[in-house]
Amino acid sequence: MANFQVFDPTTEAKEQALAYVPRPDSLRNLRVGLVENTKYNSDTLLVKIAAILEQEYGASSHILTRKHNSSVPAHQEIIDEIKANCDVVVAGIGD
């Protein structure tokens, strides 16, 4: 009989303090940043959300950015673009 060794790939979750910025009272005239994670239909979903935010809540515009892949945080270029051009952000998933 062969020797088998079982490896457990799980890790302990790191605890991190989260600090949320205050939500705006309104979206009127605010610029919306959309961060999509490359999963199927995430871009379509986010564009539909942006249309609703603009038509029904008065957001002035949106930009859509795309992460390198779904398993990583947004890369620095996305963060810089959103900080420079957006007032609020929606991160979306697909599948």
Side-chain angles (χ1 to χ4, degrees):
M1 187 167 218
N3 277 340
F4 291 99
Q5 187 172 5
V6 177
F7 293 97
D8 182 359
T10 58
T11 61
E12 292 288 323
K14 293 180 185 176
E15 289 198 28
Q16 295 178 331
L18 295 177
Y20 295 100
V21 297
R23 289 184 178 206
D25 293 332
S26 167
L27 294 178
R28 181 146 317 280
N29 297 320
L30 296 185
R31 303 163 300 167
V32 178
L34 308 169
V35 181
E36 73 102 348
N37 68 352
T38 72
K39 288 192 174 186
Y40 182 73
N41 279 334
S42 60
D43 55 346
T44 303
L45 173 65
L46 285 170
V47 169
K48 287 182 180 186
I49 290 171
I52 291 169
L53 296 178
E54 290 168 2
Q55 294 166 6
E56 296 183 22
Y57 295 92
S60 64
S61 62
H62 70 273
I63 61 168
L64 179 65
T65 59
R66 174 174 258 205
K67 290 177 23 173
H68 290 300
N69 66 62
S70 62
S71 64
V72 299
H75 50 283
Q76 193 60 48
E77 293 85 13
I78 287 177
I79 294 168
D80 293 343
E81 182 176 7
I82 287 185
K83 285 171 75 175
N85 299 302
C86 300
D87 302 299
V88 295
V89 178
V90 177
I93 60 169
D95 266 358

PDB file of all heavy atoms in Angstrom, residues 48-77:
ATOM      1  N   LYS A  48     -25.632  48.321 -16.176  1.00  0.00           N
ATOM      2  CA  LYS A  48     -27.061  48.481 -15.879  1.00  0.00           C
ATOM      3  C   LYS A  48     -27.258  49.208 -14.551  1.00  0.00           C
ATOM      4  O   LYS A  48     -28.134  50.064 -14.428  1.00  0.00           O
ATOM      5  CB  LYS A  48     -27.760  47.123 -15.855  1.00  0.00           C
ATOM      6  CG  LYS A  48     -27.935  46.544 -17.236  1.00  0.00           C
ATOM      7  CD  LYS A  48     -28.676  45.227 -17.217  1.00  0.00           C
ATOM      8  CE  LYS A  48     -28.809  44.702 -18.639  1.00  0.00           C
ATOM      9  NZ  LYS A  48     -29.631  43.513 -18.728  1.00  0.00           N
ATOM     10  N   ILE A  49     -26.441  48.876 -13.563  1.00  0.00           N
ATOM     11  CA  ILE A  49     -26.512  49.579 -12.277  1.00  0.00           C
ATOM     12  C   ILE A  49     -26.191  51.059 -12.480  1.00  0.00           C
ATOM     13  O   ILE A  49     -26.880  51.938 -11.940  1.00  0.00           O
ATOM     14  CB  ILE A  49     -25.568  48.929 -11.254  1.00  0.00           C
ATOM     15  CG1 ILE A  49     -26.109  47.563 -10.843  1.00  0.00           C
ATOM     16  CG2 ILE A  49     -25.367  49.833 -10.038  1.00  0.00           C
ATOM     17  CD1 ILE A  49     -25.158  46.729 -10.006  1.00  0.00           C
ATOM     18  N   ALA A  50     -25.165  51.357 -13.258  1.00  0.00           N
ATOM     19  CA  ALA A  50     -24.793  52.754 -13.520  1.00  0.00           C
ATOM     20  C   ALA A  50     -25.942  53.505 -14.186  1.00  0.00           C
ATOM     21  O   ALA A  50     -26.225  54.658 -13.826  1.00  0.00           O
ATOM     22  CB  ALA A  50     -23.543  52.818 -14.390  1.00  0.00           C
ATOM     23  N   ALA A  51     -26.621  52.875 -15.133  1.00  0.00           N
ATOM     24  CA  ALA A  51     -27.749  53.526 -15.806  1.00  0.00           C
ATOM     25  C   ALA A  51     -28.849  53.872 -14.803  1.00  0.00           C
ATOM     26  O   ALA A  51     -29.424  54.959 -14.842  1.00  0.00           O
ATOM     27  CB  ALA A  51     -28.283  52.629 -16.921  1.00  0.00           C
ATOM     28  N   ILE A  52     -29.122  52.964 -13.890  1.00  0.00           N
ATOM     29  CA  ILE A  52     -30.142  53.222 -12.864  1.00  0.00           C
ATOM     30  C   ILE A  52     -29.697  54.361 -11.952  1.00  0.00           C
ATOM     31  O   ILE A  52     -30.479  55.267 -11.632  1.00  0.00           O
ATOM     32  CB  ILE A  52     -30.426  51.941 -12.040  1.00  0.00           C
ATOM     33  CG1 ILE A  52     -31.124  50.913 -12.924  1.00  0.00           C
ATOM     34  CG2 ILE A  52     -31.252  52.260 -10.802  1.00  0.00           C
ATOM     35  CD1 ILE A  52     -31.206  49.521 -12.307  1.00  0.00           C
ATOM     36  N   LEU A  53     -28.437  54.347 -11.542  1.00  0.00           N
ATOM     37  CA  LEU A  53     -27.940  55.402 -10.662  1.00  0.00           C
ATOM     38  C   LEU A  53     -27.986  56.767 -11.345  1.00  0.00           C
ATOM     39  O   LEU A  53     -28.261  57.786 -10.702  1.00  0.00           O
ATOM     40  CB  LEU A  53     -26.517  55.086 -10.196  1.00  0.00           C
ATOM     41  CG  LEU A  53     -26.367  53.825  -9.335  1.00  0.00           C
ATOM     42  CD1 LEU A  53     -24.898  53.594  -8.977  1.00  0.00           C
ATOM     43  CD2 LEU A  53     -27.231  53.902  -8.089  1.00  0.00           C
ATOM     44  N   GLU A  54     -27.751  56.791 -12.642  1.00  0.00           N
ATOM     45  CA  GLU A  54     -27.796  58.053 -13.378  1.00  0.00           C
ATOM     46  C   GLU A  54     -29.237  58.495 -13.634  1.00  0.00           C
ATOM     47  O   GLU A  54     -29.583  59.654 -13.396  1.00  0.00           O
ATOM     48  CB  GLU A  54     -27.020  57.918 -14.684  1.00  0.00           C
ATOM     49  CG  GLU A  54     -25.520  57.795 -14.454  1.00  0.00           C
ATOM     50  CD  GLU A  54     -24.731  57.361 -15.685  1.00  0.00           C
ATOM     51  OE1 GLU A  54     -25.327  57.173 -16.776  1.00  0.00           O
ATOM     52  OE2 GLU A  54     -23.500  57.200 -15.557  1.00  0.00           O
ATOM     53  N   GLN A  55     -30.087  57.588 -14.100  1.00  0.00           N
ATOM     54  CA  GLN A  55     -31.452  57.951 -14.480  1.00  0.00           C
ATOM     55  C   GLN A  55     -32.367  58.190 -13.281  1.00  0.00           C
ATOM     56  O   GLN A  55     -33.188  59.107 -13.286  1.00  0.00           O
ATOM     57  CB  GLN A  55     -32.053  56.861 -15.373  1.00  0.00           C
ATOM     58  CG  GLN A  55     -31.361  56.753 -16.702  1.00  0.00           C
ATOM     59  CD  GLN A  55     -31.706  55.466 -17.451  1.00  0.00           C
ATOM     60  OE1 GLN A  55     -32.549  54.693 -17.019  1.00  0.00           O
ATOM     61  NE2 GLN A  55     -31.023  55.242 -18.565  1.00  0.00           N
ATOM     62  N   GLU A  56     -32.219  57.374 -12.246  1.00  0.00           N
ATOM     63  CA  GLU A  56     -33.159  57.460 -11.129  1.00  0.00           C
ATOM     64  C   GLU A  56     -32.607  58.215  -9.918  1.00  0.00           C
ATOM     65  O   GLU A  56     -33.382  58.688  -9.089  1.00  0.00           O
ATOM     66  CB  GLU A  56     -33.595  56.059 -10.708  1.00  0.00           C
ATOM     67  CG  GLU A  56     -34.358  55.341 -11.807  1.00  0.00           C
ATOM     68  CD  GLU A  56     -34.854  53.971 -11.393  1.00  0.00           C
ATOM     69  OE1 GLU A  56     -35.001  53.713 -10.178  1.00  0.00           O
ATOM     70  OE2 GLU A  56     -35.104  53.152 -12.302  1.00  0.00           O
ATOM     71  N   TYR A  57     -31.287  58.310  -9.803  1.00  0.00           N
ATOM     72  CA  TYR A  57     -30.702  58.931  -8.612  1.00  0.00           C
ATOM     73  C   TYR A  57     -29.838  60.141  -8.930  1.00  0.00           C
ATOM     74  O   TYR A  57     -29.254  60.739  -8.038  1.00  0.00           O
ATOM     75  CB  TYR A  57     -29.905  57.895  -7.816  1.00  0.00           C
ATOM     76  CG  TYR A  57     -30.797  56.812  -7.275  1.00  0.00           C
ATOM     77  CD1 TYR A  57     -31.013  55.645  -8.001  1.00  0.00           C
ATOM     78  CD2 TYR A  57     -31.444  56.969  -6.060  1.00  0.00           C
ATOM     79  CE1 TYR A  57     -31.855  54.657  -7.515  1.00  0.00           C
ATOM     80  CE2 TYR A  57     -32.289  55.990  -5.561  1.00  0.00           C
ATOM     81  CZ  TYR A  57     -32.482  54.836  -6.298  1.00  0.00           C
ATOM     82  OH  TYR A  57     -33.328  53.866  -5.815  1.00  0.00           O
ATOM     83  N   GLY A  58     -29.723  60.492 -10.211  1.00  0.00           N
ATOM     84  CA  GLY A  58     -29.058  61.730 -10.588  1.00  0.00           C
ATOM     85  C   GLY A  58     -27.551  61.708 -10.644  1.00  0.00           C
ATOM     86  O   GLY A  58     -26.918  62.772 -10.733  1.00  0.00           O
ATOM     87  N   ALA A  59     -26.923  60.529 -10.602  1.00  0.00           N
ATOM     88  CA  ALA A  59     -25.469  60.480 -10.767  1.00  0.00           C
ATOM     89  C   ALA A  59     -25.124  61.097 -12.112  1.00  0.00           C
ATOM     90  O   ALA A  59     -25.873  60.963 -13.088  1.00  0.00           O
ATOM     91  CB  ALA A  59     -24.962  59.047 -10.683  1.00  0.00           C
ATOM     92  N   SER A  60     -24.002  61.791 -12.179  1.00  0.00           N
ATOM     93  CA  SER A  60     -23.695  62.536 -13.403  1.00  0.00           C
ATOM     94  C   SER A  60     -23.015  61.701 -14.472  1.00  0.00           C
ATOM     95  O   SER A  60     -23.167  61.971 -15.663  1.00  0.00           O
ATOM     96  CB  SER A  60     -22.816  63.745 -13.077  1.00  0.00           C
ATOM     97  OG  SER A  60     -21.563  63.318 -12.572  1.00  0.00           O
ATOM     98  N   SER A  61     -22.229  60.694 -14.064  1.00  0.00           N
ATOM     99  CA  SER A  61     -21.484  59.899 -15.044  1.00  0.00           C
ATOM    100  C   SER A  61     -20.924  58.661 -14.363  1.00  0.00           C
ATOM    101  O   SER A  61     -21.050  58.502 -13.142  1.00  0.00           O
ATOM    102  CB  SER A  61     -20.334  60.723 -15.634  1.00  0.00           C
ATOM    103  OG  SER A  61     -19.417  61.084 -14.615  1.00  0.00           O
ATOM    104  N   HIS A  62     -20.295  57.817 -15.182  1.00  0.00           N
ATOM    105  CA  HIS A  62     -19.626  56.635 -14.626  1.00  0.00           C
ATOM    106  C   HIS A  62     -18.409  56.279 -15.481  1.00  0.00           C
ATOM    107  O   HIS A  62     -18.343  56.651 -16.649  1.00  0.00           O
ATOM    108  CB  HIS A  62     -20.582  55.433 -14.530  1.00  0.00           C
ATOM    109  CG  HIS A  62     -20.954  54.860 -15.855  1.00  0.00           C
ATOM    110  ND1 HIS A  62     -22.009  55.342 -16.596  1.00  0.00           N
ATOM    111  CD2 HIS A  62     -20.405  53.849 -16.583  1.00  0.00           C
ATOM    112  CE1 HIS A  62     -22.110  54.639 -17.717  1.00  0.00           C
ATOM    113  NE2 HIS A  62     -21.143  53.726 -17.738  1.00  0.00           N
ATOM    114  N   ILE A  63     -17.479  55.583 -14.866  1.00  0.00           N
ATOM    115  CA  ILE A  63     -16.390  54.963 -15.602  1.00  0.00           C
ATOM    116  C   ILE A  63     -16.340  53.500 -15.180  1.00  0.00           C
ATOM    117  O   ILE A  63     -16.625  53.163 -14.029  1.00  0.00           O
ATOM    118  CB  ILE A  63     -15.026  55.641 -15.375  1.00  0.00           C
ATOM    119  CG1 ILE A  63     -14.610  55.590 -13.906  1.00  0.00           C
ATOM    120  CG2 ILE A  63     -15.021  57.062 -15.889  1.00  0.00           C
ATOM    121  CD1 ILE A  63     -13.166  55.993 -13.687  1.00  0.00           C
ATOM    122  N   LEU A  64     -16.028  52.636 -16.122  1.00  0.00           N
ATOM    123  CA  LEU A  64     -15.937  51.204 -15.870  1.00  0.00           C
ATOM    124  C   LEU A  64     -14.469  50.795 -15.930  1.00  0.00           C
ATOM    125  O   LEU A  64     -13.784  51.064 -16.910  1.00  0.00           O
ATOM    126  CB  LEU A  64     -16.738  50.431 -16.920  1.00  0.00           C
ATOM    127  CG  LEU A  64     -16.719  48.915 -16.814  1.00  0.00           C
ATOM    128  CD1 LEU A  64     -17.397  48.438 -15.538  1.00  0.00           C
ATOM    129  CD2 LEU A  64     -17.398  48.297 -18.032  1.00  0.00           C
ATOM    130  N   THR A  65     -13.996  50.179 -14.867  1.00  0.00           N
ATOM    131  CA  THR A  65     -12.635  49.673 -14.833  1.00  0.00           C
ATOM    132  C   THR A  65     -12.671  48.164 -14.653  1.00  0.00           C
ATOM    133  O   THR A  65     -13.663  47.612 -14.181  1.00  0.00           O
ATOM    134  CB  THR A  65     -11.822  50.311 -13.692  1.00  0.00           C
ATOM    135  OG1 THR A  65     -12.467  50.028 -12.450  1.00  0.00           O
ATOM    136  CG2 THR A  65     -11.699  51.807 -13.877  1.00  0.00           C
ATOM    137  N   ARG A  66     -11.604  47.495 -15.023  1.00  0.00           N
ATOM    138  CA  ARG A  66     -11.571  46.029 -14.978  1.00  0.00           C
ATOM    139  C   ARG A  66     -10.325  45.547 -14.254  1.00  0.00           C
ATOM    140  O   ARG A  66      -9.214  45.930 -14.599  1.00  0.00           O
ATOM    141  CB  ARG A  66     -11.584  45.474 -16.399  1.00  0.00           C
ATOM    142  CG  ARG A  66     -11.412  43.981 -16.463  1.00  0.00           C
ATOM    143  CD  ARG A  66     -11.572  43.504 -17.868  1.00  0.00           C
ATOM    144  NE  ARG A  66     -12.909  42.950 -17.956  1.00  0.00           N
ATOM    145  CZ  ARG A  66     -13.275  42.036 -18.822  1.00  0.00           C
ATOM    146  NH1 ARG A  66     -12.441  41.609 -19.734  1.00  0.00           N
ATOM    147  NH2 ARG A  66     -14.484  41.554 -18.809  1.00  0.00           N
ATOM    148  N   LYS A  67     -10.536  44.728 -13.232  1.00  0.00           N
ATOM    149  CA  LYS A  67      -9.410  44.135 -12.519  1.00  0.00           C
ATOM    150  C   LYS A  67      -8.678  43.155 -13.431  1.00  0.00           C
ATOM    151  O   LYS A  67      -9.214  42.702 -14.432  1.00  0.00           O
ATOM    152  CB  LYS A  67      -9.919  43.384 -11.278  1.00  0.00           C
ATOM    153  CG  LYS A  67     -10.440  44.296 -10.214  1.00  0.00           C
ATOM    154  CD  LYS A  67     -11.019  43.609  -9.002  1.00  0.00           C
ATOM    155  CE  LYS A  67     -10.570  42.217  -8.736  1.00  0.00           C
ATOM    156  NZ  LYS A  67     -11.029  41.653  -7.483  1.00  0.00           N
ATOM    157  N   HIS A  68      -7.453  42.795 -13.057  1.00  0.00           N
ATOM    158  CA  HIS A  68      -6.697  41.817 -13.841  1.00  0.00           C
ATOM    159  C   HIS A  68      -7.383  40.459 -13.816  1.00  0.00           C
ATOM    160  O   HIS A  68      -7.432  39.756 -14.818  1.00  0.00           O
ATOM    161  CB  HIS A  68      -5.264  41.688 -13.313  1.00  0.00           C
ATOM    162  CG  HIS A  68      -4.429  42.895 -13.579  1.00  0.00           C
ATOM    163  ND1 HIS A  68      -4.157  43.367 -14.844  1.00  0.00           N
ATOM    164  CD2 HIS A  68      -3.805  43.743 -12.738  1.00  0.00           C
ATOM    165  CE1 HIS A  68      -3.409  44.442 -14.774  1.00  0.00           C
ATOM    166  NE2 HIS A  68      -3.169  44.698 -13.506  1.00  0.00           N
ATOM    167  N   ASN A  69      -7.898  40.069 -12.664  1.00  0.00           N
ATOM    168  CA  ASN A  69      -8.729  38.860 -12.555  1.00  0.00           C
ATOM    169  C   ASN A  69      -9.485  38.911 -11.237  1.00  0.00           C
ATOM    170  O   ASN A  69      -9.222  39.763 -10.389  1.00  0.00           O
ATOM    171  CB  ASN A  69      -7.901  37.566 -12.709  1.00  0.00           C
ATOM    172  CG  ASN A  69      -6.914  37.345 -11.602  1.00  0.00           C
ATOM    173  OD1 ASN A  69      -7.288  37.200 -10.439  1.00  0.00           O
ATOM    174  ND2 ASN A  69      -5.641  37.306 -11.947  1.00  0.00           N
ATOM    175  N   SER A  70     -10.407  38.004 -11.072  1.00  0.00           N
ATOM    176  CA  SER A  70     -11.318  38.070  -9.933  1.00  0.00           C
ATOM    177  C   SER A  70     -10.681  37.744  -8.595  1.00  0.00           C
ATOM    178  O   SER A  70     -11.238  38.061  -7.555  1.00  0.00           O
ATOM    179  CB  SER A  70     -12.511  37.147 -10.170  1.00  0.00           C
ATOM    180  OG  SER A  70     -12.060  35.808 -10.289  1.00  0.00           O
ATOM    181  N   SER A  71      -9.523  37.143  -8.592  1.00  0.00           N
ATOM    182  CA  SER A  71      -8.952  36.687  -7.327  1.00  0.00           C
ATOM    183  C   SER A  71      -7.951  37.659  -6.715  1.00  0.00           C
ATOM    184  O   SER A  71      -7.337  37.350  -5.702  1.00  0.00           O
ATOM    185  CB  SER A  71      -8.281  35.327  -7.527  1.00  0.00           C
ATOM    186  OG  SER A  71      -7.186  35.449  -8.410  1.00  0.00           O
ATOM    187  N   VAL A  72      -7.793  38.830  -7.324  1.00  0.00           N
ATOM    188  CA  VAL A  72      -6.834  39.800  -6.797  1.00  0.00           C
ATOM    189  C   VAL A  72      -7.536  41.126  -6.505  1.00  0.00           C
ATOM    190  O   VAL A  72      -8.569  41.429  -7.100  1.00  0.00           O
ATOM    191  CB  VAL A  72      -5.663  40.033  -7.781  1.00  0.00           C
ATOM    192  CG1 VAL A  72      -4.887  38.759  -8.025  1.00  0.00           C
ATOM    193  CG2 VAL A  72      -6.156  40.626  -9.089  1.00  0.00           C
ATOM    194  N   PRO A  73      -6.966  41.920  -5.615  1.00  0.00           N
ATOM    195  CA  PRO A  73      -7.521  43.260  -5.394  1.00  0.00           C
ATOM    196  C   PRO A  73      -7.337  44.133  -6.631  1.00  0.00           C
ATOM    197  O   PRO A  73      -6.554  43.804  -7.521  1.00  0.00           O
ATOM    198  CB  PRO A  73      -6.693  43.805  -4.231  1.00  0.00           C
ATOM    199  CG  PRO A  73      -5.984  42.646  -3.637  1.00  0.00           C
ATOM    200  CD  PRO A  73      -5.859  41.619  -4.721  1.00  0.00           C
ATOM    201  N   ALA A  74      -8.036  45.230  -6.647  1.00  0.00           N
ATOM    202  CA  ALA A  74      -7.878  46.181  -7.750  1.00  0.00           C
ATOM    203  C   ALA A  74      -6.427  46.659  -7.796  1.00  0.00           C
ATOM    204  O   ALA A  74      -5.833  46.957  -6.765  1.00  0.00           O
ATOM    205  CB  ALA A  74      -8.811  47.367  -7.560  1.00  0.00           C
ATOM    206  N   HIS A  75      -5.853  46.722  -8.999  1.00  0.00           N
ATOM    207  CA  HIS A  75      -4.471  47.158  -9.139  1.00  0.00           C
ATOM    208  C   HIS A  75      -4.373  48.680  -8.998  1.00  0.00           C
ATOM    209  O   HIS A  75      -5.377  49.393  -9.053  1.00  0.00           O
ATOM    210  CB  HIS A  75      -3.846  46.636 -10.436  1.00  0.00           C
ATOM    211  CG  HIS A  75      -4.655  46.875 -11.658  1.00  0.00           C
ATOM    212  ND1 HIS A  75      -5.764  46.135 -11.996  1.00  0.00           N
ATOM    213  CD2 HIS A  75      -4.509  47.799 -12.636  1.00  0.00           C
ATOM    214  CE1 HIS A  75      -6.271  46.585 -13.119  1.00  0.00           C
ATOM    215  NE2 HIS A  75      -5.540  47.582 -13.529  1.00  0.00           N
ATOM    216  N   GLN A  76      -3.185  49.146  -8.793  1.00  0.00           N
ATOM    217  CA  GLN A  76      -2.954  50.557  -8.447  1.00  0.00           C
ATOM    218  C   GLN A  76      -3.505  51.516  -9.507  1.00  0.00           C
ATOM    219  O   GLN A  76      -4.004  52.585  -9.171  1.00  0.00           O
ATOM    220  CB  GLN A  76      -1.465  50.816  -8.213  1.00  0.00           C
ATOM    221  CG  GLN A  76      -1.189  52.156  -7.557  1.00  0.00           C
ATOM    222  CD  GLN A  76      -1.838  52.303  -6.197  1.00  0.00           C
ATOM    223  OE1 GLN A  76      -1.740  51.422  -5.358  1.00  0.00           O
ATOM    224  NE2 GLN A  76      -2.521  53.420  -5.976  1.00  0.00           N
ATOM    225  N   GLU A  77      -3.434  51.157 -10.787  1.00  0.00           N
ATOM    226  CA  GLU A  77      -3.945  52.035 -11.843  1.00  0.00           C
ATOM    227  C   GLU A  77      -5.440  52.287 -11.659  1.00  0.00           C
ATOM    228  O   GLU A  77      -5.915  53.401 -11.870  1.00  0.00           O
ATOM    229  CB  GLU A  77      -3.676  51.446 -13.235  1.00  0.00           C
ATOM    230  CG  GLU A  77      -2.209  51.387 -13.602  1.00  0.00           C
ATOM    231  CD  GLU A  77      -1.514  50.124 -13.086  1.00  0.00           C
ATOM    232  OE1 GLU A  77      -2.193  49.170 -12.662  1.00  0.00           O
ATOM    233  OE2 GLU A  77      -0.275  50.114 -13.097  1.00  0.00           O
TER     234      GLU A  77
END
